[in-house]
Amino acid sequence: MRSFPALILLALLVCGSSGAQQQGFKFSQQDDTDRLEQQARDERIAQQLSTPCRAAIKDKKIMVVIGERQSNGYIAAQQQNYGPHFTAINNRLRALGLRTYTPEEIRRQIAQAEIDAYFRNDPDAMLSAAKRLGASFVLRGLITSQATRNPMMAVNQVSVGMQFTLSGNGRMISDTEAHSASYAGADVARMALTLVNEQADEVVATLYSDYCRKAGAPARAPAPQ
């Protein structure tokens, strides 16, 4: 006959094994959820990029400008501060057949006052600048952030977002956004770069799909009578 302490030990081992199995099941569930979400995202991007209008944009030039809204409402748009952001976005645009500009090329030909005016919603200023560069499109990325205090952890949390607006010939073609979860810290530009790297594929696919649907897709021939 087993002693009472031995029975208690056996019960603890059984419970521990059951708990580990349940915990393992939870991890497995989370892994499956992440995998399915990534699969759905990849399929969505592939579907958007399958729109047949790449020939319409091949070798066309696109100018990217990036600014960051400060806490006082002022938009800082010194393009030399966002080199890595340009690289991440331009790489995706070039993969679609577009020709891009570096921040240095933009700064050599476009006055800072014109870029600032564009971020103050003066489309004529950027239309003039785009024509000077020979750009068919302008993609504006605006970084925004919102700071809140987490009373539980006694830290500041910042939620970062980027709004992307694609324009051509002075009119808006597409508008989309990317958002990050809150994080602790104050380096908004760095978090915005992480956001771009994580979501640029989906953002560019959306912009491309909207362009094809609204501006670039050829008109369909009427159905025969």
Side-chain angles (χ1 to χ4, degrees), residues 112-131:
Q112 183 63 45
E114 291 177 290
I115 297 175
D116 292 340
Y118 184 49
F119 278 99
R120 292 196 300 269
N121 295 320
D122 182 354
D124 291 337
M126 192 48 60
L127 179 60
S128 174
K131 286 182 177 179

Side-chain angles (χ1 to χ4, degrees), residues 12 27 43 59 87 90 113 146 148 151:
L12 290 175
F27 285 137
E43 290 176 354
D59 291 331
T87 300
N90 284 346
Q146 183 176 9
T148 57

Side-chain angles (χ1 to χ4, degrees), residues 20-225:
Q21 290 176 354
Q22 290 179 359
Q23 186 68 22
F25 179 71
K26 290 180 181 178
F27 285 137
S28 177
Q29 275 189 320
Q30 184 61 48
D31 290 343
D32 287 343
T33 299
D34 293 342
R35 180 180 58 80
L36 291 174
E37 288 179 353
Q38 182 63 42
Q39 182 179 341
R41 177 176 177 269
D42 292 343
E43 290 176 354
R44 185 166 58 249
I45 292 173
Q47 182 179 13
Q48 290 174 318
L49 293 179
S50 68
T51 309
C53 71
R54 293 201 186 192
I57 64 173
K58 183 174 175 57
D59 291 331
K60 287 190 175 181
K61 297 179 180 179
I62 182 169
M63 177 174 63
V64 178
V65 289
I66 298 175
E68 179 183 338
R69 189 183 300 279
Q70 308 293 306
S71 58
N72 60 2
Y74 172 77
I75 296 177
Q78 287 70 34
Q79 301 307 291
Q80 65 270 22
N81 295 337
Y82 305 104
H85 304 69
F86 276 94
T87 300
I89 296 171
N90 284 346
N91 285 345
R92 272 82 171 182
L93 296 172
R94 284 195 295 269
L96 291 175
L98 289 162
R99 297 171 61 186
T100 63
Y101 301 89
T102 66
E104 291 73 23
E105 289 173 327
I106 294 173
R107 287 166 51 207
R108 281 199 300 266
Q109 300 188 56
I110 307 300
Q112 183 63 45
E114 291 177 290
I115 297 175
D116 292 340
Y118 184 49
F119 278 99
R120 292 196 300 269
N121 295 320
D122 182 354
D124 291 337
M126 192 48 60
L127 179 60
S128 174
K131 286 182 177 179
R132 195 177 318 126
L133 273 175
S136 301
F137 309 105
V138 178
L139 177 58
R140 183 182 76 168
L142 179 60
I143 302 170
T144 60
S145 61
Q146 183 176 9
T148 57
R149 184 71 175 171
N150 187 323
M152 299 289 292
M153 301 177 64
V155 296
N156 290 325
Q157 291 185 324
V158 182
S159 177
V160 175
M162 283 195 75
Q163 181 182 32
F164 295 90
T165 304
L166 177 66
S167 302
N169 297 322
R171 65 187 183 89
M172 189 182 77
I173 297 172
S174 179
D175 186 69
T176 188
E177 296 181 348
H179 295 280
S180 75
S182 297
Y183 75 105
D187 193 342
V188 173
R190 183 176 179 181
M191 188 57 193
L193 177 58
T194 300
L195 179 64
V196 168
N197 285 325
E198 290 177 348
Q199 301 188 32
D201 288 333
E202 195 162 9
V203 165
V204 170
T206 299
L207 296 172
Y208 169 78
S209 177
D210 285 349
Y211 166 76
C212 294
R213 181 167 51 87
K214 296 178 182 178
R220 292 185 177 181
Q225 300 293 327

